[in-house]
Amino acid sequence: MGLDMYLSAKRYLWREESEGVDVTGLDIPEPLELKEISCRAMYWRKANQIHGWFVRNVQDGEDDCNPYEVARSDLVALLDACRQVMLDEKLAPKLLPPAEGFFFGTYKYDESYFGDVQETAIALYRLLEAVPEDSGWVFEYQSSW
């Protein structure tokens, strides 16, 4: 039990694209047709400060475990917040305060907190570098607790 958090990347496939995808090894029975690719972009466990950021900045304060579309600009803003906290830990309570919840983990500004911030920054940087802006990929955040 506890807070699990997922950032997915999804891309719709047009008919001509889906026909060119190699699905060797996948059992897709007729008449089913491949129309979307969905990938896990990131996963966190009990990184409640990151979850709180998504709730405040993407979910309009609704912490309801539903999927929410995340704009690329939101990911850039989260990366910027993580970088600022890494450069000055005193900014943590203002930019990435811990979110309280059922089995959300610790609320301390400790090694685990700053480790999650650093891992998030590194993963977001890599993700944003790997996925071009106009590539058709859409991001989605969802939590489970």
Side-chain angles (χ1 to χ4, degrees), residues 131-144:
V131 180
E133 192 163 346
D134 295 325
S135 62
W137 288 93
V138 176
F139 299 102
E140 184 177 271
Y141 174 76
Q142 186 168 13
S143 61
S144 173

Side-chain angles (χ1 to χ4, degrees), residues 46-66:
K46 296 186 179 183
N48 59 53
Q49 72 278 34
I50 305 301
H51 174 67
W53 188 94
F54 278 108
V55 171
R56 288 187 307 279
N57 295 281
V58 175
Q59 299 177 207
D60 294 324
E62 293 293 326
D63 191 0
D64 55 11
C65 295
N66 286 322

